[in-house]
Amino acid sequence: MLNNLGSYYGPDITFLGVEPLDLQQPQENPDVVILGAPLDCGTSHRPGTRFGPAAIRQSCYLPHNGIRRSLALGVDPLTELRVYDAGDVPCQPGDLARSIRRIEGAVRRVTALGAIPVILGGDHTIALPDMRAVASHHGFGRVAVVHFDAHADTGDIEDGPLYGHGKPMRQLIECGAVRGDRFLQIGLRGYYPEPETLAWMADQGMRSYEMSEVTSRGLDACLDEALALAQDDCEGVFLSVDVDVVDPGHAPGTGTPEPGGLTSRQLLDAVRRVAYETPVLGVEVVEVSPPYDHSEITAYLGNRVVLEALAGIARRRDATDGTSWDPRTPLLERPLPPHPGTTGEAHD
């Protein structure tokens, strides 16, 4: 069943107060549909990401009124785009295969509406149904992937269970949904994967920017190269963000923290660039684990990653008159949205 159940865990809310959508009987014509995938039975270390979608939806100090104007981009993505929230996909704890089928079915329904799916995880196992559904709509091999993560998630499917958050990227490439030579990974670090898996990744033509390269060359230079490659011979980009790409000092609420990652500022700037500079076909934000969070630091970051992606998509659509966004433009000279609204009063 794919009926809108609202939030599967916690209060029945939508992302920052946007309108709900029933995927069984959609009456609207959405640009973006938000889905929750409250799954954590694919984790290899600390669980808790089943509570991630609810945390991402509500972690904000401003009113949940469906209005959020971006100071950086001068747009309000929640009003300029037709954004709806279809609630959580019913993920059965302990039944990973059935949950994956349900997630893929829900994402397929979203793409059939002509909308961009934005999936709130959940552990990174959901990348398999998320990207496979998007690729089914746009064509196998026609979707590039920009993947922010501390880990490659390319584990051998013959080692251990069939599904899990350490192997979806290999499964996506091996089933033909995405091309290895259009799979761009940013932020890898630590002590995994092992040489055999690295050799497999090289054979597929994957491009992985490990943190020492990001630090040495600069994140912008790595993104320049990655985004140019992602737009070569593909219909668009699927943006996959695992919050553990960020240093655990900035994002402690995750299942497999790895020291030495990006700052939260770097991630938000990078997500904005991907969404503004490339045609985004789908987005997922995964591995927010509230039980290990502190003062909602990670949940707030996950919420802002979604907003930055939506703002970049909205600003890209606005740039039809040939103008471009320049981050060096002073704040008060940046364009206002067509229908500006208030985000409510915030106090220090």
Side-chain angles (χ1 to χ4, degrees), residues 152-176:
D153 295 349
T154 50
D156 191 344
I157 60 175
E158 295 183 0
D159 181 18
L162 178 60
Y163 301 112
H165 73 167
K167 56 188 66 176
M169 309 314 177
R170 180 187 287 249
Q171 291 171 302
L172 285 161
I173 293 172
E174 290 191 335
C175 78

Side-chain angles (χ1 to χ4, degrees), residues 26-207:
Q27 303 297 316
E28 294 79 12
N29 182 28
D31 294 317
V32 174
V33 174
I34 294 170
L35 285 169
L39 183 75
D40 62 9
C41 50
T43 56
S44 58
H45 189 43
R46 306 191 306 200
T49 54
R50 70 180 66 184
F51 306 112
I56 294 171
R57 283 186 173 104
Q58 64 186 310
S59 291
C60 186
Y61 56 87
L62 296 170
H64 285 222
N65 56 4
I67 298 172
R68 288 296 184 275
R69 180 176 179 267
S70 167
L71 286 178
L73 287 168
V75 294
D76 183 343
L78 300 187
T79 59
E80 294 188 42
L81 299 172
R82 296 184 296 270
V83 181
Y84 295 89
D85 192 329
D88 286 348
V89 179
C91 295
Q92 185 67 40
D95 194 339
L96 199 49
R98 178 180 292 182
S99 297
I100 287 172
R101 290 194 299 270
R102 288 176 171 175
I103 295 168
E104 185 166 353
V107 177
R108 283 176 181 263
R109 285 178 179 266
V110 173
T111 58
L113 294 173
I116 298 171
V118 175
I119 305 99
L120 313 178
D123 71 58
H124 221 159
T125 306
I126 71 170
L128 177 61
D130 291 347
M131 294 188 211
R132 193 163 56 191
V134 170
S136 295
H137 181 77
H138 293 280
F140 269 35
R142 304 300 302 160
V143 178
V145 178
V146 177
H147 171 207
F148 291 91
D149 205 326
H151 311 99
D153 295 349
T154 50
D156 191 344
I157 60 175
E158 295 183 0
D159 181 18
L162 178 60
Y163 301 112
H165 73 167
K167 56 188 66 176
M169 309 314 177
R170 180 187 287 249
Q171 291 171 302
L172 285 161
I173 293 172
E174 290 191 335
C175 78
V178 298
R179 292 165 48 177
D181 62 352
R182 293 297 179 272
F183 209 113
L184 298 313
Q185 300 182 310
I186 300 170
L188 303 189
R189 61 190 185 275
Y191 305 91
Y192 169 85
E194 71 290 340
E196 293 80 5
T197 299
L198 290 172
W200 180 89
M201 292 164 61
D203 288 343
Q204 313 313 307
M206 297 179 72
R207 182 64 170 95

Side-chain angles (χ1 to χ4, degrees), residues 62 89 105 116 118 135 164 203 253 256 264 282 284 287-289 301 308 322 342:
L62 296 170
V89 179
I116 298 171
V118 175
D203 288 343
T256 49
S264 57
E284 65 184 10
E287 299 288 351
V288 173
S289 184
L301 176 60
E308 290 293 342
T342 178

Side-chain angles (χ1 to χ4, degrees), residues 2-13:
L2 294 175
N3 293 328
N4 177 28
L5 298 179
S7 182
Y8 208 52
Y9 298 99
D12 187 5
I13 57 174

